[in-house]
Amino acid sequence: MAKRRPPTKKPKKMTRSSTPAIKTSKSVASRPSEFTITPAAGKPVLLTDVALRDGHQSLLATRMRTEDMLPIAQKLDGVGYWSLEVWGGATFDTCLRFLKEDPWERLRALRAAMPNTKLQMLLRGQNLVGYRHYADDVVERFIERSATNGIDVFRIFDALNDVRNLDRAVSEVKACGKHAEATICYTVSPVHSINRFVDLARKLEDLGTDTICIKDMAGLLAPLDAYHLVRRLKAAVKVPLHLHSHYTSGMASMTSLMAILGGLDMLDTSISPLAGGTSHPATETVVASLQNTPYDTGLELASFQPITEHFRTVRRKYRQFESDFTGVDAEILTSQIPGGMLSNLAAQLTAQNALDRMKEVLDEVPRVRKEMGYPPLVTPTSQIVGTQATLNVLTGDRYKVITTETKNYFLGLYGRAPGQVDLDVMARATGDETPIKTRPADRLEPELDEAKKELPDSAQTVEDQLSFVLFPAIARDFFEAREKGELTPEPLELGSAKGPTTAHELHLAPVEFNVTVHGETYHVKVSGSGRKIDGRKPYYIRVNDKLEEVSLEPIQEVLAGVPESQETGSGGKPKRPRPSKPGDVAPPMPGRVVKVLVAVEDQVKTGDPLLIIEAMKMESQVPAPIDGRVVAILTAEGDNVKTDETVIQLE
C-alpha cells in the first residue's frame, strides 16, 4: 500500500489569532444575520472513493461489470484511501438481474485484488440490500457472510432515521469485529432541524457505532448549514464524522469544504470520470484543493492518473446507461426530488402514456410527502411516495388506489414517521387495521429455515440461500441459468463507445423533419437521447425551437410489409383483454409478476391478495376488487403486465 505523501511544507496551524475569521452578513433561517466561522483545528481528511459503487450507480445505472473493476484494482489499492465503497446499495440486485454475476463472487474477487484497503458497503438497515424489512436471522447471517467474504466497513442507514431499524445491524457488525458506520439521512422539511439531527447522532453513538455518516442523498445540504451541522455534531458526540453528499444541486464541493472547516473527519469522493451530476465531488479536485493546508489528505495526485484514464475509457463502454442528469440540476433545491426518483417517475408515466403529466406528479409529490409525515426521499420511501403521487394524479381521485407499500407505511411496518401523518389519509390506507408501535422486525418470524423449503436445487451455498431470500424470483432465474451455463449479461450497444463498429450498423435515420397534424406543420429536430430504462428511452426534441422531452417505448413491432395478427402482440403472445367488468383484475401500476397467489376455482373476498408484482424495485400485492370465484388467470410468474390488462378474472 502506498504511503501518504508528507506535506511539502508543514502548514501553519490555523487559530483564531493566525487565521482571520470568515464573516457573512447573509441572513440564514435559525441563525443570526452575522456570525463568525472559525476553522477547525488542522488534521488530515480521510477519503472514501465510491466509484466502484455509488459512482456508477448514480451515473451508469449500476451497470459496471466486475471485469472493468479488477484491472484497476491494484492501482486503487495503492492510493492510500481510508476505504473504498465497492458493494451494497443497488449493486446486489443489478448483479443478479442484469449483469448475471454472482454479487458474492464480485466481493471475493475485489477483496483478493485489494488486500490493503478497507472495503465498504451500503446497508439499508433492516432492509439490507432489498426493499422490505427482513427478519433478524436474515440480517445477522447476511452481515456475517458479508464480513467473511470481505467487507470491513458497513455504512448502515434507515430511510426514516428510525434507530430501531439500525440496532440489530450495528450490533451484528460489531459482533463480527467490523467497523459500523451508522447514518443520518439528511433532508429538509418543517420537522427536520439541526437539533433533531444532533439528538439522532447521540442515539447512534449509544448504539455503539464507530463513525457517523451524514448522508446527503439529494444534494440538499447547503455549505453554511454543513458547517454548523458538523460543529454541533462534533460538540455532541465523540465518534468521527463522515460526509456523503451528492453533486446533484451543484453544492457538494462547497458543502464538503465548509464541513471540513467545521471539523469533518472523513469525506466521500469519486474519481473524476465518475464524478459530478448525481454522483459526488471529484477525488482529484478535493485532494488538490486541500494540499498544503491543515487538512491535507496526504494523497499523491500522480497516483490518480492511471485510475482516471481507466475509468474514462470504461465510462464510454456504458454510454447507453448514462444518466440523464450528468450536470447540475438546480431544480432539486425546490422539488427535493433526487435524480434517480425523477427517472423512476418518468418511467412510470411513460408506461401509462402520460409523460405529459409529469408536472402534475412533481407538484403532487410534496403533498404526499407532507401527508406521510415528511419522510426523507431515499430508498424505499422515495419509491413509496413517488408511486402514490403518480397514482393520485393518474386516477384523478387522490388515494382512490393505495399501494400496499403506502398502507404498510401508515401501519408503521417501515418504522416511525418523522412527523405527524395525515390522519384522514392514514384511515383510508389502513382501514380496520391498527398501526404497530413496536420495532417492525419484531413481528417477523425467522425466515432462513422456511426459505430452505423453497430453495432451488441449483442453490448451492449459504450465500445462494441469502440471495434467494432477498430476491426470490430473480435469484431463481439466476441459479437456473448458472446451472445450464447460460449466464449472459444484458447486451451492450455495439459502437456506444466509439460509434458504429461495422458497416451494417450505418443507416439513415431522420433527425430533423416536418410533421403535419390537422393541417398544422411543426418543425421537429432530435437533439439527443438518454439511457434506456425498462425498454423505454427518453429523447430530447425541439418542436418549433422549443425543447421537449419525450419517452419512447415500443409496444408492438413488425417487419416492414409483413402484417401482424391483431390477436397477438410482439413475440406472438396473445394480448390480454382490457378490463371491462367488476371482476376483471388489473394491476395498479406496470410491473413484473413475482408470484400468483391463487388458482382457478379459488373463492376470494374483496381485498384478498391475488398476486404480487414488482415495480420500481418494490413488491406490491394486487387485491381482489370483489367477492367471487377465480375463473381465469391470464398471467404467469415472470410476465410483464400493464394497467390496461386483465390479469385475473373473477365471477
Side-chain angles (χ1 to χ4, degrees), residues 129-179:
V129 292
Y131 310 102
R132 68 170 177 88
H133 279 204
Y134 299 95
D136 288 337
D137 64 329
V138 179
V139 172
E140 292 167 1
R141 183 62 61 86
F142 182 89
I143 290 172
E144 182 272 323
R145 297 317 300 165
S146 300
T148 300
N149 281 275
I151 293 298
D152 302 295
V153 181
F154 293 78
R155 177 175 292 165
I156 309 164
F157 80 93
D158 178 69
L160 297 175
N161 286 325
D162 191 333
V163 176
R164 301 173 302 170
N165 294 334
L166 305 176
D167 189 3
R168 187 55 60 98
V170 171
S171 297
E172 184 60 25
V173 170
K174 300 292 289 184
C176 292
K178 300 299 183 179
H179 185 107

Side-chain angles (χ1 to χ4, degrees), residues 24-36 228:
T24 178
S25 60
K26 185 175 180 178
S27 179
V28 181
S30 75
R31 294 197 294 274
S33 59
E34 291 193 10
F35 57 90
T36 300
H228 287 281

Side-chain angles (χ1 to χ4, degrees), residues 349-369:
L349 291 171
T350 301
Q352 303 279 355
N353 295 317
L355 191 59
D356 61 322
R357 306 190 70 178
M358 173 64 92
K359 178 64 166 59
E360 295 175 66
V361 174
L362 294 181
D363 290 340
E364 177 68 4
V365 165
R367 287 193 286 267
V368 173
R369 186 181 180 226

Side-chain angles (χ1 to χ4, degrees), residues 131-401:
Y131 310 102
R132 68 170 177 88
H133 279 204
Y134 299 95
D136 288 337
D137 64 329
V138 179
V139 172
E140 292 167 1
R141 183 62 61 86
F142 182 89
I143 290 172
E144 182 272 323
R145 297 317 300 165
S146 300
T148 300
N149 281 275
I151 293 298
D152 302 295
V153 181
F154 293 78
R155 177 175 292 165
I156 309 164
F157 80 93
D158 178 69
L160 297 175
N161 286 325
D162 191 333
V163 176
R164 301 173 302 170
N165 294 334
L166 305 176
D167 189 3
R168 187 55 60 98
V170 171
S171 297
E172 184 60 25
V173 170
K174 300 292 289 184
C176 292
K178 300 299 183 179
H179 185 107
E181 183 168 276
T183 302
I184 297 170
C185 289
Y186 181 85
T187 190
V188 177
S189 84
V191 302
H192 291 91
S193 65
I194 288 182
N195 287 339
R196 182 168 186 151
F197 292 133
V198 170
D199 290 340
L200 175 59
R202 292 194 179 103
K203 294 175 182 177
L204 297 178
E205 188 174 50
D206 290 341
L207 287 184
T209 189
D210 296 297
T211 51
I212 291 175
C213 175
I214 304 166
K215 181 178 172 66
D216 178 25
M217 57 278 180
L220 297 177
L221 181 57
L224 294 176
D225 291 332
Y227 171 82
H228 287 281
L229 176 60
V230 171
R231 291 274 291 191
R232 289 283 306 279
L233 291 174
K234 293 296 289 186
V237 298
K238 294 181 174 61
V239 297
L241 299 181
H242 201 151
L243 175 63
H244 174 94
S245 184
H246 284 255
Y247 212 93
T248 316
S249 67
M251 296 194 296
S253 291
M254 296 181 288
T255 294
S256 298
L257 179 58
M258 293 305 296
I260 291 169
L261 292 177
L264 187 75
D265 303 280
M266 308 148 86
L267 177 67
D268 279 5
T269 61
S270 184
I271 201 72
S272 56
L274 294 173
T278 52
S279 184
H280 300 266
T283 303
E284 306 97 306
T285 305
V286 170
V287 170
S289 299
L290 298 178
Q291 274 191 349
N292 299 319
T293 75
Y295 316 104
D296 197 326
T297 65
L299 304 182
E300 292 280 359
L301 275 173
S303 66
F304 297 112
Q305 185 174 355
I307 302 171
T308 302
E309 284 301 316
H310 173 81
F311 285 111
R312 185 177 289 126
T313 301
V314 165
R315 181 165 179 169
R316 298 189 190 107
K317 180 177 176 180
Y318 301 99
R319 189 168 291 173
Q320 72 198 79
F321 303 111
E322 284 275 359
S323 168
D324 301 339
F325 303 93
T326 55
V328 171
D329 178 25
E331 191 173 339
I332 197 174
L333 295 171
T334 52
S335 72
Q336 298 188 21
I337 298 175
M341 185 177 175
L342 277 173
S343 299
N344 283 331
L345 292 176
Q348 281 191 315
L349 291 171
T350 301
Q352 303 279 355
N353 295 317
L355 191 59
D356 61 322
R357 306 190 70 178
M358 173 64 92
K359 178 64 166 59
E360 295 175 66
V361 174
L362 294 181
D363 290 340
E364 177 68 4
V365 165
R367 287 193 286 267
V368 173
R369 186 181 180 226
K370 178 182 179 181
E371 289 157 349
M372 289 187 174
Y374 295 103
L377 296 179
V378 64
T379 303
T381 52
S382 57
Q383 287 93 333
I384 296 172
V385 172
T387 301
Q388 189 60 59
T390 301
L391 290 172
N392 286 356
V393 169
L394 295 184
T395 61
D397 184 358
R398 302 185 75 239
Y399 298 102
K400 178 182 179 180
V401 176

